[in-house]
Amino acid sequence: MPAAAVEQVSRPAPPGKTPGVRTLVRSLAITLAIMAPALFLRLSSTHPAPVLSLVLFGAAVVAASFVLAWAAEAAQVDVSGGFAIAVLALIAVLPEYAVDLYYAYTAGSDPTYVQYAAANMTGSNRLLLGLGWPLVVLVALYVAGRLSKKPATALALEPGNRLELGFLLIAGVAAFVIPATGHIHLVLGVALIAWFGFYMYKLTRGEAEEPDLIGTAAAVGNLPRRARRTTVVALFVLAAGVILACAEPFAESLVESGSQLGVDEFLLVQWLAPLASEAPEFIIAVLFASRGKGTAAIATLISSKINQWTLLVGSLPIAYLLGGGTAPLALDTRQVEEVLLTATQTMMGVAILLALRFHRWSAWTLLGLFAVQFAVTSTTGRFALSAVYAVVTVVLLVVRREHVVPTLAAPFRRTGAR
């Protein structure tokens, strides 16, 4: 299948069809209406029933996530290239960071919250790779097949994407220290954050690219330069303020709702919170894939995986220490098995992409294994599923062994070197 079929760039909208100020105003009005009840509750110090609180504050976090995504996409007009993709990916998951760091900080004085910090971190990572990656690839291949009139079996990545894979591969290997030791140590946290900083530095050396914006982001991007930059900053401030205001009550309502509904709080925190915060990112990625921009969409999700597996994980022991905890953030057996499952899934994801092609069968396999975990809840079952991920990873590494060393070396190569 020709790569161009998958990577066909959408044509510019005809004159008069480009999203304008009316689109921006309408989108902001909708998101502000969704945010308003939660902000009222927060400012008035009102405490409704846990389930109602969960719905209202969760809706506000989702709305703020969309605002963040619009601003981050529009910012690509002024900050271009791979660095822009990384910044977009980072900003898109800020709501998730706010919730998870709240749990880690609170765990410093209340050890029962350690499980929630681990749950949110592992859930967001597995949701992104197990659901987000396959979904985007399957949509991209469906669109490519319609455009080429032939079945599309694989999504071709750009040679430059090996840089991201190299960073994720090394971070993924380092992450096995956590289940091996039973804790996330402050030293490992600092190392992971430094690795993310190096990743961002490498991306600043890349070449500029023309962004392809859609919907509300396009409406912001089409504004005159000064108005665009002012709007982007204002959107960032608005979204950040709402997220900071809602993170604590949303996090607490997740735990309280689980107790009230008789649902395992760990599972509620693990899946509902990441799903709420990552929904806008998933939607935007799928929209890009549906317009023939599959590689750009999957590149954004790979970058999101890198910052989750480095910056987010690395920040947890720091937040824990600031909250009154110790240098190592100790994990119990359940949390260790969750981290191990997440680490092995990460390695399988990297192994799948070593040849810079994301095959349809790979997407279905990732999606199938992601679904299986909800039926496998015992400790033995989780370790068995981790073993399945590990075995598939080893097989793929052997089959694609010629790509392992170039991928490991990619983060350390001079920009532009092959």
Side-chain angles (χ1 to χ4, degrees):
M1 178 197 63
V6 180
E7 288 310 302
Q8 180 180 356
V9 178
S10 300
R11 296 175 180 173
K17 297 295 184 180
T18 303
V21 176
R22 181 177 298 179
T23 298
L24 175 59
V25 171
R26 182 176 64 250
S27 298
L28 283 177
I30 293 172
T31 52
L32 287 172
I34 295 173
M35 296 174 186
L39 294 177
F40 172 78
L41 292 177
R42 191 63 167 150
L43 294 174
S44 63
S45 299
T46 304
H47 302 284
V51 176
L52 178 60
S53 179
L54 175 63
V55 172
L56 295 179
F57 285 110
V61 168
V62 172
S65 299
F66 272 105
V67 174
L68 272 180
W70 296 331
E73 281 193 272
Q76 292 182 83
V77 175
D78 300 298
V79 183
S80 56
F83 181 71
I85 289 180
V87 171
L88 170 60
L90 173 61
I91 290 173
V93 294
L94 282 181
E96 174 193 322
Y97 278 60
V99 173
D100 209 2
L101 293 181
Y102 167 76
Y103 284 134
Y105 179 84
T106 306
S109 56
D110 186 351
T112 60
Y113 276 74
V114 172
Q115 62 175 322
Y116 303 134
N120 192 259
M121 179 270 288
T122 55
S124 60
N125 269 278
R126 295 215 298 277
L127 185 70
L128 180 62
L129 197 153
L131 179 62
W133 286 21
L135 184 61
V136 164
V137 171
L138 292 174
V139 170
L141 293 180
Y142 171 76
V143 171
R146 291 189 61 184
L147 292 174
S148 64
K149 306 299 182 182
K150 297 179 181 179
T153 60
L155 174 66
L157 276 67
E158 298 290 342
N161 293 136
R162 194 171 295 282
L163 175 70
E164 282 83 0
L165 292 178
F167 274 97
L168 184 55
L169 175 57
I170 293 173
V173 171
F176 281 95
V177 171
I178 300 173
T181 60
H183 60 248
I184 310 175
H185 200 280
L186 181 63
V187 173
L188 176 62
V190 172
L192 289 173
I193 292 174
W195 188 237
F196 176 77
F198 182 49
Y199 167 62
M200 295 296 284
Y201 165 76
K202 292 291 288 187
L203 290 181
T204 61
R205 321 306 296 173
E207 298 179 357
E209 298 175 3
E210 185 70 22
D212 184 19
L213 307 179
I214 56 177
T216 305
V220 178
N222 290 332
L223 294 173
R225 182 176 179 180
R226 178 173 295 181
R228 179 180 66 247
R229 292 184 174 181
T230 301
T231 302
V232 166
V233 171
L235 292 178
F236 278 143
V237 172
L238 170 64
V242 172
I243 290 167
L244 290 176
C246 296
E248 178 182 349
F250 177 55
E252 290 291 351
S253 63
L254 277 169
V255 177
E256 294 171 2
S257 295
S259 300
Q260 186 179 68
L261 298 173
V263 179
D264 188 337
E265 296 97 330
F266 187 95
L267 295 178
L268 202 60
V269 170
Q270 187 174 37
W271 300 116
L272 186 58
L275 186 61
S277 60
E278 292 186 10
E281 183 181 17
F282 282 6
I283 292 172
I284 291 171
V286 169
L287 286 175
F288 267 87
S290 69
R291 301 178 71 211
K293 299 282 288 180
T295 294
I298 195 64
T300 301
L301 295 189
I302 292 172
S303 190
S304 292
K305 178 66 177 177
I306 293 172
N307 71 59
Q308 283 186 351
W309 211 218
T310 55
L311 186 60
L312 177 58
V313 176
S315 298
L316 294 182
I318 296 176
Y320 180 66
L321 183 64
L322 292 175
T326 56
L329 174 59
L331 306 176
D332 63 21
T333 303
R334 182 178 187 181
Q335 295 151 26
V336 167
E337 70 188 45
E338 291 290 341
V339 174
L340 179 62
L341 184 58
T342 308
T344 52
Q345 184 208 45
T346 299
M347 294 304 294
M348 180 176 162
V350 174
I352 283 173
L353 298 181
L354 280 179
L356 298 181
R357 294 182 71 81
F358 206 140
H359 293 270
R360 184 188 300 275
W361 68 263
S362 301
W364 281 115
T365 302
L366 279 175
L367 194 59
L369 289 174
F370 175 75
V372 166
Q373 69 181 311
F374 294 102
V376 179
T377 57
S378 66
T379 298
T380 302
R382 306 297 258 189
F383 283 128
L385 186 55
S386 297
V388 172
Y389 276 121
V391 169
V392 175
T393 298
V394 171
V395 171
L396 290 173
L397 288 176
V398 171
V399 172
R400 300 169 181 176
R401 55 188 176 277
E402 70 273 16
H403 300 292
V404 174
V405 173
T407 302
L408 286 171
F412 308 102
R413 288 201 182 105
R414 180 173 52 85
T415 303
R418 291 185 181 267

